[in-house]
Amino acid sequence: MFSFKYMPLAAVAVLMPAGAFADDLVFRFDNNSSYTVVELYASPSDVGEWEEDILGRDVLESGESARVTIADGRRACEYDLRVVFEDGDSIEDTTDLCETESYAVTD
């Protein structure tokens, strides 16, 4: 059984002009499972389809981490995450990426 764990980012107030674009969402994705992650998706929760695979041709071996930047210009914070492992198993979860500094998948 796989599970996700995340560490909330300390709240920081930022003043932006009303017309400014949303900041990029940046978090560290940790593969603390014993399996290789071959696909990683993050889509706003109000979107009915998965966005492109974040890893592309890359994979994330067991014990590795990757810095993930979502620069889609949206103001959404709640994202659905989908992780696909080398054996074809997958898990899905929802998290607030505006409050997430790191996110980990474990066995």
Side-chain angles (χ1 to χ4, degrees):
M1 167 144 286
F2 296 97
S3 63
F4 284 106
K5 294 182 182 178
Y6 66 93
M7 301 168 67
L9 179 64
V12 177
V14 177
L15 299 176
M16 294 175 57
F21 290 104
D23 289 334
D24 295 346
L25 297 172
V26 180
F27 65 100
R28 188 181 73 241
F29 182 82
D30 299 312
N31 181 6
N32 294 336
S33 77
S34 53
Y35 301 93
T36 299
V37 173
V38 296
E39 297 173 21
L40 174 62
Y41 302 92
S43 297
S45 293
D46 63 351
V47 172
E49 298 178 8
W50 291 109
E51 303 288 327
E52 292 182 35
D53 175 15
I54 293 169
L55 296 177
R57 293 183 180 188
D58 295 327
V59 298
L60 198 61
E61 300 288 341
S62 174
E64 291 184 337
S65 297
R67 181 173 182 237
V68 177
T69 301
I70 299 175
D72 59 11
R74 296 179 177 131
R75 295 190 184 276
C77 286
E78 190 170 290
Y79 274 72
D80 295 328
L81 300 177
R82 182 170 194 261
V83 180
V84 180
F85 298 93
E86 62 188 330
D87 64 358
D89 284 348
S90 65
I91 53 176
E92 296 176 6
D93 195 19
T94 301
T95 191
D96 183 338
L97 292 181
C98 294
E99 298 294 326
T100 301
E101 183 176 287
S102 70
Y103 203 92
V105 62
T106 61
D107 289 334

